Structure formats: C-alpha cells, structure tokens
Amino acid sequence: EKHLAAFVSYWESMRKLGDVPHRSDIDPRGIEPLLENALIVEKIAPGLARMRIAGSHLSELMGMEVRGMPVSAFIEPAGREELSDLLADLFERPAIVDLTLQSPASIGRPVMAGRLVLLPLRSDLGDITRALGCLITQGAQGRAPRRFQITNRSVTSVALPGDSGRAFAEAQTPFED
C-alpha cells in the first residue's frame, strides 16, 4: 500500500500546473518499487484500452506476455462492461480509477485479492489517450491465468487547469452503482 501511495504521488508530481502529465514525462525510475506491477495502456476505442507496456508480474498472472492485450483481460467476463464504463471515465473526464479486485478460488487457484489503479496520461499529441497503471495482488498466484471480479471502485475526477468549476460540481455528484 505504501508503494501504491508513492506510485500515485509520483504521477501527481508529474502534473505541471495541475494538468494531466504526458506519457513522455513518466520515468520508470520514478516508479521503481512497482515496475513489475506497472502498465501503460492506450485507448483504442471508447471504453477499450490495450497494454503497451506491462511489468513482469502482469504476464505471470496471465501465464503469457500481456503487451498488446486489452486491459480487460484481467477482468472476469461479467465485469468487462463495467470496466469499459470506467475506462470511458478515465479518458473522457479525465479521472483516476481505483479498483478493488478479487479472484475467487478454484482448482489450483487460491483466493487472490488485487488492486488496480489507472491514472490518465496525455499522448505526445496532447490528447488523453494513455494511462499509467499499477496492478498489485495479494495471495498465492496458483495456476494462470488469473482473472478478477471488481468488488469496489472509486472514480475521482481530475481537475484540469481552467475548469475548476466543472470538477467541483462533479465532485458533489454521488457515485451510483
């Protein structure tokens, strides 16, 4: 958890004048304790993003190289529509998406808990079509692939320079499931 807090703080520190950082601002040395858990995703369609860079722990969870795969590969099929809506928030609002995950026990797979945090990034063109993420898990890995149910979610709008009124108004809206 302390590493995850430092991961988010690093992203915050890259926000120049309160804007969403550019992908090119992110230095792997800034997130070293969680490099094996880190990912960079690229929006490829509304609500759909694929992994461009993924740490070794993420490939171990799936039992294969995950670069190029959709980030939804980590989520049970029943939760993928919800993830799609959350990815839309991530890129469109923009917002920080923080998910609590659970992978239920099955043959050869003990219960595993997880947390996925996705932080918006700008591409080199300046549009918010990238995200820096981190997926940490607790519990024995067991047989791959491991897929997770979303058990809790937090979506926090990122205030951008010049639109504090919008962000403030949105922050008051309760999140409805």
Side-chain angles (χ1 to χ4, degrees):
E1 290 297 311
K2 74 172 172 37
H3 288 314
L4 194 56
F7 188 93
V8 175
S9 293
Y10 173 74
W11 175 85
E12 287 282 356
S13 75
M14 293 294 108
R15 296 182 69 190
K16 295 177 179 59
L17 303 172
D19 198 2
V20 169
H22 281 74
R23 156 67 187 97
S24 53
D25 295 334
I26 303 301
D27 181 343
R29 289 173 299 205
I31 55 173
E32 196 130 26
L34 287 173
L35 263 184
E36 67 179 22
N37 303 81
L39 60 154
I40 289 193
V41 300
E42 173 185 22
K43 175 184 170 182
I44 51 177
L48 192 61
R50 73 167 169 221
M51 293 175 269
R52 293 180 57 93
I53 297 173
S56 59
H57 179 63
L58 307 182
S59 293
E60 288 164 15
L61 284 173
M62 294 305 289
M64 64 183 85
E65 174 59 63
V66 296
R67 278 190 312 236
M69 291 173 75
V71 73
S72 59
F74 292 111
I75 304 300
E76 294 273 0
R80 290 181 183 166
E81 193 173 325
E82 179 183 4
L83 179 68
S84 179
D85 293 344
L86 293 164
L87 288 172
D89 278 344
L90 169 79
F91 295 118
E92 305 310 320
R93 271 191 190 187
I96 295 169
V97 173
D98 185 349
L99 305 177
T100 305
L101 306 173
Q102 178 91 27
S103 183
S106 62
I107 296 169
R109 295 182 180 105
V111 171
M112 186 182 240
R115 190 152 161 220
L116 174 63
V117 176
L118 294 167
L119 308 158
L121 294 175
R122 291 187 184 278
S123 75
D124 294 339
L125 303 173
D127 52 350
I128 301 174
T129 54
R130 304 285 189 278
L132 174 65
C134 184
L135 173 58
I136 54 174
T137 58
Q138 283 128 1
Q141 153 112 21
R143 284 189 15 235
R146 293 307 298 255
R147 291 197 171 81
F148 296 87
Q149 299 163 348
I150 299 170
T151 57
N152 208 338
R153 75 223 37 83
S154 158
V155 178
T156 309
S157 290
V158 175
L160 298 177
D163 74 354
S164 56
R166 181 191 74 97
F168 182 72
E170 223 166 323
Q172 294 177 321
T173 309
F175 182 76
E176 299 289 332
D177 242 356

